[in-house]
Amino acid sequence: MLIQLTYASRTSRILGPADIKDILSASQRNNTAAGITGALCLNNGIFLQQLEGDRAAVNTLYHRLLKDSRHRDTAVLDFCEIPHRRFTGWSMGLLGSVEANRQLFLKYSSSAAFDPYGMSTATLRSFFAEILENVRWLE
Ligand SMILES: Cc1cc2nc3c(=O)[nH]c(=O)nc-3n(C[C@H](O)[C@H](O)[C@H](O)COP(=O)(O)O)c2cc1C
């Protein structure tokens, strides 16, 4: 069964480009093998990740993520069954806090700072629908 899980977490320390590269390369390698797709955003020291794939595979990954010391305060924000994937081209795309995305983050935040912990499920879903159409991805 195909599901989608969205969670937020806070970086546990300042993460540099090497940390991000390490997260992305492990994600791309493992997610391709596990049939998981999705997107990861990092802004304001907060990660927001949407994972799509088989329910058991996504649960296994989520349990592994909980043990990763690079982040903390992990909270599931949305979990639902989906009829099809959306991030078909991305084993894990990274959306950075580059200037071009700043307005997009602001559009979906009730405060000036990006705060997915406070977003409703509907807002989160609209945010991910829009980033598919309209973002600057980091390579
Ligand atoms: C915010 C965040 C998102 C991550 N996303 C993924 C992911 O989508 N897939 C994945 O396999 N690992 C992800 N990781 C890394 C895992 O926690 C773990 O380090 C990695 O899966 C270990 O892979 P390895 O055993 O192949 O080295 C993420 C880590 C963080 C901090």
Side-chain angles (χ1 to χ4, degrees), residues 7 9 15 22-24 26-31 36 40 47 49 51 61 64-68 70-71 91-92:
Y7 77 87
S9 61
L15 298 181
D22 187 68
I23 291 172
L24 262 197
S27 302
Q28 285 163 353
R29 184 178 65 244
N30 296 330
N31 294 0
I36 293 174
L40 175 65
F47 284 114
Q49 188 172 31
L51 301 165
L61 171 58
R64 196 161 76 238
L65 288 171
L66 287 174
K67 294 184 200 133
D68 195 317
R70 291 170 289 196
H71 64 171
S91 54
M92 191 45 60

Side-chain angles (χ1 to χ4, degrees), residues 46-81:
I46 297 177
F47 284 114
L48 174 64
Q49 188 172 31
Q50 188 165 84
L51 301 165
E52 343 172 282
D54 177 64
R55 178 168 55 190
V58 173
N59 266 296
T60 300
L61 171 58
Y62 186 68
H63 282 265
R64 196 161 76 238
L65 288 171
L66 287 174
K67 294 184 200 133
D68 195 317
S69 62
R70 291 170 289 196
H71 64 171
R72 58 184 171 81
D73 301 344
T74 312
V76 173
L77 304 179
D78 188 16
F79 181 93
C80 62
E81 195 176 333

Side-chain angles (χ1 to χ4, degrees), residues 91-107:
S91 54
M92 191 45 60
L94 177 72
L95 178 73
S97 59
V98 290
E99 192 55 46
N101 292 328
R102 212 149 274 155
Q103 284 190 349
L104 184 62
F105 287 129
L106 194 58
K107 179 172 170 185

